[in-house]
Amino acid sequence: MNPPDAIIVGGGIQGVSMALTAARRGLHPVLVEKSSLAAGASGNSYGIVHGGLRYLQMLDIPRWRRSRLAQAWFLHEFPAQVRPLRCVMPLYQGRLRSPGLFRLAMAFEQTLAATFDARVPLPPPQLLTAEEVKTEFEVITEGLAGAACWHDAEVTDMPGLLQAMLKRAGLEPPSLYMPFEARELLTQRGEVIGLRIADVNNGDTREIMSRVVINCAGAWAGSWQQAAACPTARSLAFNLLLAGALPGNSALAVSRIPGKGRSYFMRPHPEGIFAGTYYRPAPDATEPAVTAEDIQAFLDELNSALPGMHLRPADVKAVMAGLLPDKDGSGERLSSDDHILTHRPHGFYSIVGGKFTTAPLLSEDAANRIWPHLNRADHMAATLVKHHG
Ligand SMILES: Cc1cc2nc3c(=O)[nH]c(=O)nc-3n(C[C@H](O)[C@H](O)[C@H](O)COP(=O)(O)OP(=O)(O)OC[C@H]3O[C@@H](n4cnc5c(N)ncnc54)[C@H](O)[C@@H]3O)c2cc1C
């Protein structure tokens, strides 16, 4: 067998996307995962594939475009695992999330969306009146001025999505090393020549030869030898499955101070209510450990946002938690410049800290950097963007 064109470390959304991008460019990657597919943050994500409407409220059109493209791609390519999700966010007079600002974002969205051939068209965003929100949800009514209503996408089967992406990339054993852990880069005269990996079940090590190693190990990206240039601090993020029921089939976005601050989503789940996502710095954590205080802090936020729910720890049926790479241990996210790193030795790259939504786009960007001589055509855009004229 010829040596693979690239060894990808990590079987989360980023590693799997990278494998698919490489395969679509005619390359033969292999993937190394120390546990199982979606074992890290990806498998515990809240699973919203954001279309980027919030970026329009900040007039960040390039970022909107990237999110929208990735969302459209997921919906079109993996309809069995990704479906549209109606979202409702109450708006309050005089607050950041006010009807005026949302109206502006809506107008932008409609103009820009006309440049897309999204194939799975989503209903346009709309404003609901205060009366309409009140009939649907028991939200805080003081100052309520209506609600933003838009469609995002949700991943309904995360391991299934990653399996389907790997299948599309043609990756199966012997090109899939699982459970194997990346241990050490093999180098020669400043160039990568391969990777030493260890079988997690029996500790046996082996070497895979390749001139390219791409580190997509998420919060652990800086933990293994020679990946020290990656961030090593972490944040903890978790969702709760709560007893109870929500009406309808929509996600409700709420915040502790109505119309202001971090938003939490609540949506119906076959076994109750799925609430997410609570974040806190966890600089030295090696595993996503959620404490009773963490859970209480999240419930306090939700109870402030939706006082009628009276949520208690006894209502918690399950906790889904993951670790995310963090800029410096303060809970601050990595900036877009930190996502794709080119290291020494030559041939070693990391892709860290992107959102679930943008993993396929980061993979395209990384592929353009790693293999500049190959077809640079943006495959995602080519399949989805309308060509005028
Ligand atoms: C609770 C929560 C909710 C979230 N909600 C959303 C959301 O709604 N929308 C959104 O866009 N994003 C969301 N995110 C963020 C998103 O899930 C992550 O940004 C994304 O999944 C990160 O993917 P990744 O592949 O980089 O990392 P991970 O999914 O963590 O994958 C890294 C993989 O590398 C493996 N690995 C680590 N070290 C090694 C090694 N040495 N050798 C081999 N394998 C190794 C791990 O086992 C793991 O499987 C959420 C995250 C969390 C935790």
Side-chain angles (χ1 to χ4, degrees):
M1 191 171 115
N2 287 334
D5 295 302
I7 304 166
I8 297 165
V9 177
I13 185 66
Q14 193 58 68
V16 169
S17 294
M18 192 62 235
L20 180 52
T21 300
R24 280 197 313 212
R25 292 179 187 218
L27 300 170
H28 298 284
V30 299
L31 191 134
V32 180
E33 164 55 51
K34 69 175 177 174
S35 177
S36 56
L37 279 187
S42 302
N44 293 288
S45 162
Y46 195 70
I48 293 194
V49 183
H50 299 280
L53 191 58
R54 66 183 139 159
Y55 301 133
L56 287 185
Q57 289 177 322
M58 298 176 248
L59 301 180
D60 189 344
I61 294 170
R63 216 157 162 208
W64 171 85
R65 199 182 147 72
R66 281 171 70 82
S67 283
R68 192 75 157 74
L69 186 60
Q71 186 194 59
W73 181 81
F74 273 116
L75 280 165
H76 177 250
E77 299 288 315
F78 300 99
Q81 295 87 15
V82 184
R83 67 176 181 203
L85 172 70
R86 179 176 179 264
C87 301
V88 174
M89 178 187 278
L91 301 171
Y92 291 85
Q93 283 306 353
R95 288 279 154 81
L96 189 61
R97 294 188 199 114
S98 65
L101 208 54
F102 185 70
R103 225 176 254 121
L104 194 68
M106 255 171 38
F108 250 138
E109 153 87 15
Q110 274 160 316
T111 312
L112 294 169
T115 62
F116 271 78
D117 180 10
R119 309 276 178 87
V120 183
L122 296 175
Q126 62 174 134
L127 265 176
L128 304 181
T129 63
E131 285 313 308
E132 285 170 323
V133 196
K134 280 192 265 180
T135 55
E136 245 188 288
F137 298 104
E138 279 183 43
V139 296
I140 292 176
T141 52
E142 199 185 323
L144 183 68
C149 176
W150 74 97
H151 280 74
D152 262 322
E154 66 172 326
V155 182
T156 52
D157 173 9
M158 195 65 77
L161 173 63
L162 298 199
Q163 288 283 5
M165 291 174 77
L166 269 196
K167 193 167 169 215
R168 187 82 62 91
L171 236 78
E172 53 185 35
S175 298
L176 185 57
Y177 293 86
M178 203 162 71
F180 277 84
E181 187 175 26
R183 285 279 169 86
E184 190 186 355
L185 283 177
L186 305 173
T187 62
Q188 202 174 55
R189 289 189 285 276
E191 307 261 335
V192 166
I193 56 165
L195 181 70
R196 181 169 296 120
I197 61 173
D199 185 327
V200 171
N201 289 329
N202 57 25
D204 287 354
T205 58
R206 66 172 80 175
E207 294 177 353
I208 321 173
M209 309 316 285
S210 177
R211 297 206 159 268
V212 175
V213 172
I214 310 173
N215 175 23
C216 302
W220 299 272
S223 304
W224 58 284
Q225 201 189 345
Q226 282 155 305
C230 286
T232 49
R234 290 160 187 151
S235 292
L236 173 75
F238 69 92
N239 305 316
L240 296 177
L241 177 60
L242 299 164
L246 272 185
N249 220 352
S250 306
L252 176 68
V254 290
S255 48
R256 193 170 63 83
I257 304 169
K260 200 174 161 194
R262 182 182 284 287
S263 293
Y264 301 105
F265 282 88
M266 303 191 84
R267 68 176 197 257
H269 182 280
E271 291 167 46
I273 300 171
F274 194 36
T277 294
Y278 189 85
Y279 295 86
R280 75 155 163 86
D284 304 319
T286 50
E287 293 303 324
V290 177
T291 63
E293 288 76 31
D294 291 328
I295 292 178
Q296 189 58 57
F298 189 16
L299 293 179
D300 289 346
E301 294 276 299
L302 294 175
N303 281 328
S304 299
L306 296 165
M309 292 197 76
H310 306 295
L311 294 165
R312 297 161 304 133
D315 297 319
V316 177
K317 296 173 85 176
V319 182
M320 289 80 143
L323 291 176
L324 299 168
D326 184 306
K327 199 159 184 84
D328 54 9
S330 64
E332 196 187 325
R333 297 290 179 77
L334 305 183
S335 74
S336 47
D337 289 343
D338 304 321
H339 291 325
I340 303 177
L341 302 169
T342 305
H343 305 286
R344 295 252 165 255
H346 182 72
F348 184 38
Y349 304 88
S350 294
I351 316 178
V352 286
K355 295 285 284 177
F356 192 94
T357 315
T358 43
L361 293 158
L362 287 179
S363 303
E364 296 265 351
D365 295 345
N368 289 341
R369 187 184 297 191
I370 301 169
W371 300 287
H373 55 290
L374 288 182
N375 177 14
R376 289 177 62 99
D378 187 334
H379 294 252
M380 295 177 68
T383 50
L384 293 166
V385 177
K386 268 183 192 161
H387 295 287
H388 296 282

